[in-house]
Amino acid sequence: MKTYDVMVIGSGFAGMAATLFAAERGLSVAQTGATGGIDFSTGFIDLLAVHPIAEQKVWEDPFAALVALRRDLPDHPYCRVSDDEICRALEQFTTFLGRHGLCYRGRTGKNTLTLTAAGTMKPTYLLPCTAWNGVKAWETKAPTLLVDFSGLKGLSARQIAEVRKDSWPNLKVARIKFPGMGGELYPEHMAWSMADPARRAELAQTVAPFVADAEYVGFPAILGMTDTTAVLSHLEELLGRPVFEIPTLPPSIAGPRLRAAFDRGLPALGVRTYTQKLITKAACSEEGFSFTAGSGSTSVEIFAKSAILASGRFFGKGLKANRHRIFEAVFDLPVSQPENRALWHRPEFFDPQGHEVNQAGIETDENLRPLDAQGRVFHPRLHAAGAILAHQDWMRMKCGAGLAIATAYKAVDSL
């Protein structure tokens, strides 16, 4: 049996962040988990943009929004984390990504509106540097060419232009054939091919006749996998215009880029990752935790002095449901949930208040230690982070990645 200081259960934003923070503090870390929310990410790091949900109030200042949220929703996980901890967490997380080829930027203390594949403008706090010229183009309403590709699903330049025609009338569109590929296209294949400067030159040559008086050129997010800055700079040089990316609909390339950055960076910090293995057995003692990861002949026995539960909700398999209740998958911790299944969802699918099931999760103390059915700390060295935490609707509040990263920081800091 292998022994570690910390076991991180989960490989989404919270799991990756907790693993990073623990490893950079010099702790030995094992990480398990299947596909998580990070794999389907747009690449944007939301902090908090909408509160209250029912009023759909959008905030430019996420820290002012946090003040209101903590006043109105005292059980929200953000009430467990200070603004200073949030800022330190985001700085450490994006600094790591920057060292591994993914540059992020934003405006201190302000959300930024950025273009989505649906043509809407999404408020977010930090975004990939490859998207930043799109922010500038939108804010100045500059003449802009949007390019899409025959055979690529997930982004239509024409749809974006139609949605934005009143607020951004200077958009033009061009659909072209992606050089060297035909049929149905996949963002990951396209991104890898852009590592070749010759392919970039072919792309620029195809796009050039459509540029005309456009001051910016926007592409679906396919501009490289590990070398996005170099790819973008080369295209700007070839086209003579600032270039930006727009994430496609999930699964976009942003998720694999994030995953690849952690795959490159975490082993160098001594992290042992048990890829695509779920915890199938867990036992607690005063000394720590014994886990079985995986099943059958490939299963692994692990002992950890501490553990962080960052397994997400239903998508990450941290929560499971039957016809009667929702339950936590590893320790069978009590889950805060509506009294019966009939109350999980409101009658209207698009009810502005959202659905109660989207706030299901585990209760914790001030240090993010899960509570048992009697409201006591389940184990002094078990902490939780991310979407599995109760009393938050990260999707409607536009706070998913920020909440995951901030609570992971707090959980590690409380070990």
Side-chain angles (χ1 to χ4, degrees):
M1 180 179 290
K2 299 182 179 180
T3 300
Y4 298 89
D5 293 323
V6 187
M7 164 66 88
V8 176
I9 305 167
S11 59
F13 267 106
M16 290 300 191
T19 301
L20 169 66
F21 298 149
E24 289 195 336
R25 282 163 174 74
L27 301 173
S28 61
V29 186
Q31 181 189 35
T32 65
T35 300
I38 202 168
D39 298 273
F40 290 84
S41 169
T42 60
F44 302 144
I45 297 178
D46 301 343
L47 181 49
L48 179 63
V50 177
H51 175 72
I53 295 174
E55 297 175 16
Q56 289 294 291
K57 181 176 180 179
V58 178
W59 297 73
E60 181 182 20
D61 182 343
F63 293 97
L66 282 166
V67 171
L69 179 145
R70 291 173 180 137
R71 179 193 64 223
D72 300 338
L73 302 173
D75 292 326
H76 194 283
Y78 265 143
C79 295
R80 308 284 195 259
V81 189
S82 70
D83 289 357
D84 186 55
E85 287 169 321
I86 291 170
C87 292
R88 292 202 304 266
L90 293 176
E91 174 67 22
Q92 190 173 346
F93 190 84
T94 54
T95 296
F96 169 84
L97 290 178
R99 291 199 303 266
H100 296 281
L102 291 183
C103 165
Y104 271 77
R105 67 179 299 178
R107 294 178 170 125
T108 303
K110 288 187 177 182
N111 285 322
T112 298
L113 290 177
T114 187
L115 190 62
T116 74
T120 57
M121 303 305 300
K122 171 185 168 64
T124 192
Y125 191 61
L126 296 169
L127 60 159
C129 292
T130 56
W132 193 256
N133 284 328
V135 172
K136 295 196 290 187
W138 155 254
E139 290 178 346
T140 60
K141 306 301 185 290
T144 299
L145 173 68
L146 299 182
V147 176
D148 66 15
F149 301 102
S150 302
L152 176 65
K153 300 176 181 178
L155 188 143
S156 166
R158 182 175 295 178
Q159 177 184 335
I160 293 173
E162 181 64 23
V163 171
R164 296 257 63 90
K165 63 183 179 182
D166 294 330
S167 57
W168 195 354
N170 292 320
L171 286 178
K172 317 191 289 185
V173 302
R175 173 162 292 178
I176 64 172
K177 184 179 183 299
F178 189 76
M181 295 185 186
E184 186 171 353
L185 303 178
Y186 298 93
E188 194 163 352
H189 299 162
M190 300 166 76
W192 281 116
S193 77
M194 293 298 286
D196 182 357
R199 182 61 52 85
R200 303 198 289 262
E202 289 180 66
L203 176 60
Q205 187 176 16
T206 306
V207 171
F210 299 98
V211 173
D213 62 348
E215 297 175 12
Y216 293 84
V217 181
F219 290 92
I222 51 87
L223 303 184
M225 179 62 78
T226 61
D227 52 354
T228 55
T229 301
V231 172
L232 185 120
S233 297
H234 189 204
L235 279 175
E236 289 183 331
E237 179 185 339
L238 293 168
L239 292 171
R241 303 288 191 281
V243 167
F244 63 92
E245 290 188 310
I246 308 165
T248 61
L249 293 176
S252 75
I253 200 61
R257 281 176 180 166
L258 286 164
R259 174 73 64 185
F262 283 102
D263 287 346
R264 291 193 301 274
L266 291 180
L269 296 173
V271 173
R272 179 65 171 92
T273 302
Y274 296 94
T275 306
Q276 296 299 322
K277 287 186 185 293
L278 296 176
I279 298 298
T280 53
K281 186 177 180 181
C284 309
S285 68
E286 290 185 7
E287 291 75 25
F289 304 86
S290 299
F291 297 102
T292 301
S295 59
S297 61
T298 61
S299 65
V300 180
E301 302 296 321
I302 302 164
F303 179 83
K305 300 172 187 175
S306 301
I308 296 176
L309 190 62
S311 47
R313 286 184 176 160
F314 302 103
F315 182 68
K317 299 183 174 62
L319 298 182
K320 296 184 178 181
N322 57 28
R323 299 181 69 85
H324 307 289
R325 72 180 184 101
I326 302 167
F327 56 96
E328 187 273 316
V330 177
F331 298 99
D332 197 22
L333 295 165
V335 175
S336 174
Q337 58 189 287
E339 290 182 9
N340 62 70
R341 186 158 182 158
L343 301 176
W344 287 10
H345 298 92
R346 298 181 188 275
E348 297 297 324
F349 185 77
F350 291 110
D351 191 307
Q353 297 181 76
H355 303 283
E356 293 302 316
V357 72
N358 294 326
Q359 298 206 37
I362 60 175
E363 305 273 4
T364 71
D365 72 354
E366 292 299 312
N367 291 315
L368 295 176
R369 295 180 298 183
L371 304 179
D372 64 17
Q374 288 72 47
R376 300 173 302 203
V377 170
F378 177 79
H379 191 287
R381 292 195 298 280
L382 176 65
H383 294 75
I388 200 171
L389 300 172
H391 308 300
Q392 49 85 20
D393 187 342
W394 61 266
M395 186 177 295
R396 287 173 177 80
M397 290 179 167
K398 303 291 187 265
C399 68
L403 178 69
I405 295 164
T407 54
Y409 185 92
K410 176 76 172 189
V412 170
D413 216 34
S414 301
L415 290 175

